Every structure is written in structure tokens, then in C-alpha cells.
Amino acid sequence: MDAFKGLPEAKVIWDPSELEPFRVDESHLRGVQPLAVVKPHGPRALRELVHRAKTEGFGLVPRGAGTGKAGGCLPTERTVVVDFSEWPGDIQVSPQDLCLRAPASAPLREVKGSAEALGLFYPPDPNSWESCALGGTLATNAGGPNACKYGMTRHWVLALDALLEDGEIHTFGISSVKANAGPALGQLLIGSEGIFGFIVGATLRLTPMPREFATLLLPVKRWEDLLDLPGLLCGAGYLPSAFEFFDPAVLAELRAHGPEAARRLPGEALAILEFDERGCTSEPFLEGLLDLLGPLADGLEIASDARQRQGIWAVRRLTSAFLKERHPKKISEDIVVPRSRLRDFFLGLDRLGCPAVSYGHLGDGNLHVNLLAAGETDPVVLEHQLMDLFRLAISLGGTLSGEHGIGLAKRDAFLALSDPAQIQALRALKRALDPQNIFNPGKVI
Ligand code: MLT
Ligand code: ZN
């Protein structure tokens, strides 16, 4: 362990029993035992780590709160986990510049809360928003229900501070939405899962906090009736801030075994729709919406207060953990298709005979297709099922991950199914930015 002796500005963990928690995240995978875990407390630690990684030939794996879904922060052979949970820095909001500066270690919950305290909104809201760290959301370009209207994490980043292979922290971008001096290199780091360098802080874009919400429960008798709705609404000028759904199987399971609030959920399948623009609770807005929905509006329920709204969202937010508890070896995918192809996607899934259940972000075509029996399925059969699923999404103009990223979990599929020119370009960038392959080796490409 000489490589870590006298490392400045850092806490080092190498007791094997204490390394165990760093071998898992929220994917179904398990990493190898890392050489050590280092919690850097300042730039000198990073400078020295990069130097030692290069001279002693080990890799560096970034870690935030370990809530990733694709194994991006899991250690591979001969790597040190760089855990940013103790990276220093405060959250500073600038209402004048409509932005917020925060270190990678900042809990996303505090980032959102600091903005909200000043009447401002930072929209990215992955399901793990109460437990994840900002750095992880930047490295993975996290999504969430609000992406339907507001886009992904990358759409809310003005500037980034990132550790590059020279061992120094560099800043890309400025505190303004208008910055056009050449290509946006910072954007390359967002969603890169740490393969080009490590993000240590960011300046985020904010917008005024929405103050009015119309939250609707839309049960349907025939579940296919939900599938054209996202396109219909958007085409008619109704852009929901969130449009989530449960297919019949997920809804039935929630109703039978879920918490009290889930037992009363109506319908064969169910959508949660939310609008947040000014006037969305007014009669003209809601009447227009009802007209558009036609007979589908029959069972529509509108949350009448904040408590009901919270109750609806609580059920949606616990769905992933609920299914995981009941099917511990399940695999949850996050394919995406354009919203206009949702019907074709589910027809295709039926044709494949894929034993899957689905829920998730219907409004932007990002579906959590879950293979509940993955643990009991022959691994070769399982791999075919997953590849068929990814091919189907791609054939409809979609892709294999809408929000969770590639990491380790989808690396083989990503390499097999992507345009070879894209992989070649990514590898050329990797060689240019990280010639000794010290940053998160074995991930993504
Ligand atoms: C969610 O939206 O609930 C999560 O992103 C899905 C998951 O856990 O697979
Ligand atoms: Zn999701």
C-alpha cells in the first residue's frame, strides 16, 4: 500500500472489510475489490493521485453517493476508488445570474433545496434525488420525471470544474447561458461517467420555481390507450412537466402488495400527469385538456391539494425499490424511444415474447422495462432478451439508455450496437484526454 503513504489532503481506506461497500451501487452488478478507497479533501490529493496512478499503473474510479444504476462507479481490476463525498465546498446561489455553484459532494437534495429557498428551481430529479450526490448526477447526466419538460442534467449546466490527466482542476464554461467561444468541452464530461476526467464542481442554471401544479391520475381500462397520449398532448401544445405510467402488471403488483396508498390506485393501467405552467389549474386549461382526452378522461382524478400531490408522487417514487424488494434479482432497463413510437415499441415487445413489465417516464419515451425473473433465467437466454430489447428500441429511433448510462452494465451492448464510427471517435477522444487510461478504465467504451 506504499502508493498511498503520505497522500496529502486525503483520507485513505484499505482495510478489506471497509472496502466492501464500495463494490456495489444500485445496479445488479458487483465490482472487484479496489486497491483502496481515497476520499480527497483538496486539489493536492488529486494531483498526487493522478501522478501515482500514472507512475504505478493503477486506475482511478470516481464515486459519488453510489446510487448509480449502471455500475459506472464499481471498481475494475487494479483500481482505486476516488470517493468525492468529503470534497469541500459550499452551495452558493446567485439569483441575479440565475445560477448556483456547488461541489460534486453536495447532496442533490440540498442543491434543489438551496435554489427553492430563494424561489428558484433546479429541475433534474432522478429517482434517487434524496440520496444521490450532485457529482454523480453530472457524471451520469441524470434524468427523472421532470426531464419530460425540462430535459436532462446536461441542459442545466453552465460551467464545470474537472480534474484532467495533468492532475489539475480546469474550468469549462461561465456563469451565463450565452457562451459560444468554441465547442463546449464541459458538455463532453457530462454523462462521460468519468472516462475523460472527474467532475469536482459545477455552476448550474436555475429558473423561477413553478408555483402552480395540476397533478392528475389518469386510469385507463385498456392500457394501450395510454400509448398515443404523450404525442397527442405535445402535438396539441400541452407539455407535461412529468408524465409517468405503470403498466397493468406493475399496477396490479403495487395494488396487491404495495403500501396503503397504492392499494387504492384505479385502472387497468395508470398514468400520472403533472403540469406546472401558470394557469394550469384554471378552468380553461383543464377543460381544454379534458376535451383532448375525450372518453379517456372518464376516470380522471385531480389532486386537490399539496398533500394529495405528495401522496401520488410517493407511490411513484417507491416503485423501483418496491419491485426490487419483491424481485431482488430483477434487471431494470431504461431504454428510450421517441414518444411517437411508443405503441410500436410495445407491439414489438409482445412480438418478441419478452417476459417484461414496465413503468417509468412515458411522456418522454423513457421506459423502465423490468425483467423480474432475470435471476432465474439462463444467462444466455437473458442476454438474448436484453439484446433483443435494445435492438428493438434502436430500430424505432431510440437508444439503449435514456437516463442511467452505460457504465459496466450496458458496455458490451453499447459496443456491439453503436455505429462503429461513434465508438472510434469516443476512443480517439479517450486517447487524447487520458492517454494512460487512468480514468475509470473498463467503463463505457
Ligand atoms: C425510476 O425512475 O424509478 C428509476 O430511474 C428506475 C429504476 O430504478 O430502474
Ligand atoms: Zn427513471
Side-chain angles (χ1 to χ4, degrees):
M1 291 303 137
D2 285 354
F4 312 107
K5 279 221 176 90
L7 195 67
E9 293 187 322
K11 185 192 285 174
V12 182
I13 301 170
W14 54 57
D15 177 337
S17 66
E18 287 181 59
L19 297 177
E20 280 306 295
F22 297 90
R23 295 176 65 179
V24 292
D25 62 359
E26 287 184 12
S27 69
H28 56 282
L29 301 169
R30 185 174 172 77
V32 303
Q33 183 173 298
L35 301 175
V37 172
V38 174
K39 299 189 178 193
H41 297 157
R44 282 173 59 216
L46 295 180
R47 191 176 301 133
E48 196 52 36
L49 258 184
V50 166
H51 174 71
R52 294 184 195 186
K54 284 176 172 175
T55 50
E56 312 217 2
F58 57 82
L60 303 173
V61 178
R63 186 177 178 96
T67 56
K69 299 270 185 190
C73 68
L74 300 185
T76 48
E77 283 307 325
R78 252 191 96 63
T79 55
V80 169
V81 171
V82 186
D83 175 337
F84 281 94
S85 58
E86 295 179 9
W87 185 254
D90 301 323
I91 299 175
Q92 293 162 3
V93 186
S94 167
Q96 293 82 3
D97 288 329
L98 279 180
C99 72
L100 173 158
R101 262 190 75 72
S105 54
L108 181 61
R109 163 197 258 287
E110 285 178 25
V111 169
K112 289 171 79 72
S114 304
E116 190 170 346
L118 294 172
L120 297 170
F121 184 39
Y122 177 66
D125 62 342
N127 205 42
S128 56
W129 76 274
E130 296 192 90
S131 51
C132 67
L134 176 65
T137 68
L138 295 161
T140 58
N141 185 30
N146 280 162
C148 184
K149 174 174 176 181
Y150 293 98
M152 308 278 287
T153 295
R154 73 163 68 258
H155 301 115
W156 294 89
V157 179
L158 297 174
L160 273 187
D161 304 319
L163 170 73
L164 296 189
E165 72 86 45
D166 61 357
E168 302 298 327
I169 294 170
H170 299 268
T171 298
F172 303 94
I174 61 167
S175 304
S176 167
V177 284
K178 299 201 96 170
N180 205 22
L185 278 175
Q187 284 291 331
L188 197 59
L189 285 141
I190 304 167
S192 73
E193 304 185 49
I195 63 169
F196 298 138
F198 294 172
I199 298 168
V200 302
T203 303
L204 308 170
R205 183 159 76 90
L206 304 176
T207 191
M209 188 75 194
R211 305 230 167 261
E212 201 175 335
F213 300 96
T215 308
L216 318 168
L217 270 185
L218 179 64
V220 289
K221 293 202 186 77
R222 294 184 325 134
W223 105 264
E224 309 82 68
D225 287 345
L226 283 181
L227 303 181
D228 299 329
L229 261 189
L232 181 77
L233 291 180
C234 290
Y238 285 87
L239 178 58
S241 49
F243 186 155
E244 302 288 305
F245 86 114
F246 304 116
D247 81 357
V250 174
L251 184 59
E253 191 147 346
L254 272 168
R255 218 162 13 217
H257 306 286
E260 189 55 34
R263 312 249 159 151
R264 293 186 301 268
L265 292 176
E268 187 202 39
L270 183 68
I272 301 170
L273 274 128
E274 188 159 278
F275 297 89
D276 68 356
E277 61 255 47
R278 207 172 278 178
C280 66
T281 54
S282 69
E283 253 178 47
F285 182 94
L286 292 172
E287 269 167 17
L289 187 63
L290 293 186
D291 277 355
L292 200 62
L293 294 175
L296 279 186
D298 282 353
L300 189 77
E301 292 176 23
I302 304 181
S304 55
D305 56 27
R307 208 177 52 86
Q308 261 190 23
R309 175 178 177 236
Q310 268 162 18
I312 292 173
W313 279 110
V315 174
R316 168 60 186 91
R317 289 285 181 187
L318 61 69
T319 307
S320 171
F322 163 77
L323 287 176
K324 182 93 184 161
E325 207 180 301
R326 291 187 47 79
H327 310 274
K329 294 189 176 154
K330 82 178 173 93
I331 290 187
S332 175
E333 290 302 340
D334 75 311
I335 63 91
V336 60
V337 294
R339 50 172 81 86
S340 57
R341 306 304 302 271
L342 284 165
R343 188 175 279 274
D344 296 330
F345 174 77
F346 282 104
L347 281 174
L349 205 57
D350 269 357
R351 263 198 300 273
L352 288 173
C354 185
V357 304
S358 308
Y359 69 96
H361 319 289
L362 195 73
D364 51 32
N366 180 203
L367 311 170
H368 293 310
V369 178
N370 277 241
L371 300 180
L372 300 180
E376 297 80 54
T377 307
D378 176 332
V380 178
V381 174
L382 180 64
E383 197 188 320
H384 277 118
Q385 288 172 346
L386 291 174
M387 288 302 270
D388 283 348
L389 170 67
F390 298 150
R391 280 199 190 92
L392 173 63
I394 292 169
S395 74
L396 296 170
T399 188
L400 71 177
S401 173
E403 59 177 7
H404 296 165
I406 301 300
L408 275 181
K410 284 190 272 276
R411 181 172 183 250
D412 290 346
F414 179 61
L415 293 177
L417 301 177
S418 300
D419 175 352
Q422 183 193 340
I423 301 297
Q424 233 177 12
L426 287 174
R427 287 189 169 153
L429 285 167
K430 172 76 172 165
R431 280 193 299 276
L433 294 171
D434 181 18
Q436 285 183 247
N437 194 22
I438 57 166
F439 289 130
N440 215 3
K443 305 287 169 53
V444 187
I445 46 171

